[in-house]
Structure formats: structure tokens, C-alpha cells
Amino acid sequence: MEVTFEGPAGILQGYLLLPDRDGTLPGVVVCHPHPLMGGDLHNNVVVGICHQLAHLGIASLSFNFRGVGRSQGTYDNGIGELTDAAAALDWLQAENPTARTTWIAGFSFGAWLALQLLMRRPEISGFVAISPPASLYDFSFLAPCPSNGLIIQGTEDKIVEEECVTELVEKLNKQKNLKIEYRKIPGADHFFAKSLDDIQNKIEKYISKNTN
């Protein structure tokens, strides 16, 4: 269902999927790709993540960053958007208080912000990052990374270089007591137009294994 909630720069528009069964499963906030590149909560990967979570009985909140769709405010180079994501997390936790854990997910620019939020919110216990833009942004803030997670990357991505994502995963997996599961999707470009089912299957396997 469509929802609105208060963000730091005004009202934010979101979409909440709150399954009826097993309300103790994690609540997951899902962050969309770059606002200036057409990213919004209707992105096919974002929608696919949310539908797969619903299939697993997991509540999810996707939302539009400031200045996107009906969300108030203007683009803030990732700084304000991070506070938007924090507000979304606060709101989902209030709406889904029986969830025993909280997860974060994001695609591209959204993955970069999701991982920054992971560093700031100790209650987040897992993450899914799809095409984290390691060739475009600095991820050195993940030192140390506080949670295990899943990273998915297409091998034919021309926007986020596969080699840079692989290097990021290798660095993270050298950290003590950390396990990042890395799944490549052969032939997939940055937009995963023909690979959504593959993404959903990988998310289902990972989350089912790590939330029971």
C-alpha cells in the first residue's frame, strides 16, 4: 500500500508491503537508484526485491528519496538522502514493531546509501546490495563492516565495473568475523532487464538461510 511519512526535508512517499504471516521476520528498507538518473521506488529491481520479500513473509518499505515522485525536498548529493533512509527505517520499525531484526537493501546508488546506513544503525543485522557502485563511490567507510550480507553484480555491467565490485568483496571478506556472499549474474547489464528472476532467487536463498 502507498504510504507517506515525515522525512528531514518534508513528506516522503513510500510503498509498504506488510505480509500477514509471521510478523517476527525482519523488516527491510529498500533504497532505489540515483534520483538524477531516473531512479525511484518503481524501479524494476526495487519492485522485484520487495515482491520477493513479501513471498518470504517479510515486510518491506521502498520509498522515494527527496525530490523524487511525491517526496518533498530536492536532491542533496547523497547527504540528505542518507537521512531520508534513516527516517524510512525509523518509520518501518514503528509500523512493524514485532520484527526481531532489521535489514537494509539497495540497488546501485541505493546500495551505496544502504551500506552507509548500515554503519550508523547497529540494529541492522543484514543487507542485500545489488550493483554497489564501487567504481563510482568510495566504500572505505566499511571499516569494519558490522554485518554479513549479500552482494549481487552483473558481469556485463557497463556502469558499475564488475572488477571494482569484486575487489570490494575481497577486501570485505578479509575482515575478521565477516562473510560477504558474492553472486554474479552472467550476461546481466546494470539494469538486469532479463535477470530479475535470477536476482529474486538469489535473494530468497540467502535470506531464507540467514533469517531462520
Side-chain angles (χ1 to χ4, degrees), residues 55-186:
H55 174 70
L56 295 170
I58 294 173
S60 66
L61 174 66
S62 55
F63 67 100
N64 280 332
F65 289 119
R66 58 185 62 199
V68 178
R70 295 199 299 277
S71 289
Q72 297 175 342
T74 57
Y75 175 67
D76 193 32
N77 294 299
I79 299 170
E81 286 76 12
L82 178 56
T83 64
D84 293 343
L89 184 61
D90 290 340
W91 189 86
L92 179 60
Q93 289 173 331
E95 288 294 310
N96 191 34
T98 60
R100 64 176 180 265
T101 57
T102 301
W103 283 49
I104 191 77
F107 171 36
S108 193
F109 174 85
W112 178 60
L113 287 176
L115 290 172
Q116 289 185 66
L117 187 61
L118 175 72
M119 297 297 295
R120 290 162 170 78
R121 298 292 290 264
E123 75 270 28
I124 298 176
S125 59
F127 71 85
V128 175
I130 300 174
S131 297
S135 55
L136 303 172
Y137 294 97
D138 182 13
F139 281 79
S140 63
F141 59 84
L142 292 169
C145 180
S147 170
N148 297 334
L150 170 66
I151 292 180
I152 298 173
Q153 176 65 28
T155 62
E156 300 301 320
D157 194 327
K158 305 302 182 186
I159 296 176
V160 173
E161 298 175 8
E162 177 197 347
E163 295 80 3
C164 294
V165 177
T166 299
E167 182 180 352
L168 171 63
V169 173
E170 290 173 349
K171 287 181 179 179
L172 290 175
N173 275 329
K174 290 179 181 177
Q175 295 182 16
K176 188 176 181 180
N177 300 322
L178 184 69
K179 176 57 181 175
I180 305 302
E181 197 163 303
Y182 186 33
R183 294 290 177 260
K184 299 181 184 180
I185 299 183

